[in-house]
Amino acid sequence: MSFYMRFIFAFLLICANGAAQESYRDSLQAFIDDYKLNHGVVKSNDKQYLQFFPIDEKARIKAHFEPVKNAEWFSLPTSSGRSKMYRQYGKLSFMYEGSKQALYVYQSQALLQDPKHMDHLFLPFTDLTTGKESYETGRYIDLTVSDIKDGYIIVDFNKSYNPYCAYVSGVYSCPIPPKENRLQIAVRAGEKKYLNEH
């Protein structure tokens, strides 16, 4: 291949990568805009207090999925003092900011009874931003069983969001992330603290 052809090929590759990155950022921004527009609790002018970290493409990671077989149901504490029944569905192993990390995804006993949501997987977590830059009891990511492909699943921390308890206290029962899902790194992606102090 001539130098000219190699140059053209490299140029096209850079353009394609740039377009893919821009497309991803656009899709993430659309996700955030839709999240704010259709928020289930925060309404009208209060939506201005919904804040997100800057979009970080490195926060979209490919995690190895290892199923947890014969997992028993357990009682997961919530913010209201009541408990909800969950079980471990799988362990996610991945690299983040150069270090090995692991989180568990869970299945809700209640949602398994609902045909519309029986595919749902729940990923609650805390990290070193918890209680400082992000909500004090942790954040959530929604996944589905069908997201698991060939032993891997894409986890996008840019899509992590606050439980409803972050906006209204004493009304909702928000699951508290288990100890096994407390990351010892800072994940500066996804939703930040709600800024309305009224």
Side-chain angles (χ1 to χ4, degrees):
M1 185 184 292
S2 68
F3 171 80
Y4 175 75
M5 291 301 294
R6 289 199 300 271
F7 174 80
I8 293 296
F9 179 77
F11 176 76
L12 292 175
L13 188 61
I14 290 171
C15 290
N17 288 339
Q21 290 173 351
E22 192 62 34
S23 176
Y24 169 71
R25 296 182 70 84
D26 289 345
S27 69
L28 243 301
Q29 190 58 56
F31 171 87
I32 293 170
D33 292 343
D34 182 71
Y35 175 85
K36 292 180 177 180
L37 180 65
N38 298 300
H39 200 280
V41 174
V42 181
K43 305 297 182 183
S44 63
N45 290 337
D46 287 340
K47 292 182 179 181
Q48 66 182 303
Y49 301 112
L50 294 170
Q51 305 292 322
F52 279 74
F53 287 99
I55 294 171
D56 181 2
E57 294 172 28
K58 297 191 298 296
R60 181 180 185 271
I61 55 96
K62 185 176 183 179
H64 178 261
F65 175 83
E66 179 184 350
V68 175
K69 298 179 180 178
N70 304 315
E72 295 184 0
W73 296 102
F74 69 96
S75 182
L76 185 62
T78 73
S79 56
S80 68
R82 297 194 297 270
S83 296
K84 296 183 178 182
M85 298 303 293
Y86 285 86
R87 69 180 175 190
Q88 290 180 345
Y89 187 80
K91 181 180 181 180
L92 308 183
S93 303
F94 55 95
M95 296 292 293
Y96 193 88
E97 297 291 349
S99 61
K100 293 181 180 179
Q101 305 296 328
L103 290 170
Y104 284 86
V105 287
Y106 304 89
Q107 226 171 16
S108 162
Q109 191 175 66
L111 290 185
L112 271 181
Q113 314 307 314
D114 181 354
K116 291 183 179 179
H117 298 99
M118 61 188 306
D119 193 40
H120 181 262
L121 294 177
F122 180 51
L123 177 55
F125 72 96
T126 67
D127 66 281
L128 296 185
T129 72
T130 302
K132 301 169 186 174
E133 297 161 274
S134 63
Y135 181 56
E136 61 191 22
T137 59
R139 294 178 286 169
Y140 303 157
I141 296 176
D142 292 327
L143 298 167
T144 64
V145 173
S146 56
D147 289 331
I148 304 165
K149 301 182 188 304
D150 300 320
Y152 288 89
I153 188 168
I154 299 297
V155 177
D156 196 337
F157 287 102
N158 291 293
K159 293 184 177 181
S160 61
Y161 63 93
N162 293 335
Y164 282 172
C165 301
Y167 319 107
V168 183
S169 61
V171 176
Y172 299 98
S173 292
C174 305
I176 298 171
K179 290 182 179 179
E180 61 205 20
N181 272 23
R182 297 177 184 175
L183 296 171
Q184 298 304 307
I185 55 170
V187 180
R188 292 186 172 88
E191 190 168 6
K192 301 173 74 172
K193 269 188 175 180
Y194 182 54
L195 296 184
N196 188 354
E197 300 296 338
H198 311 321

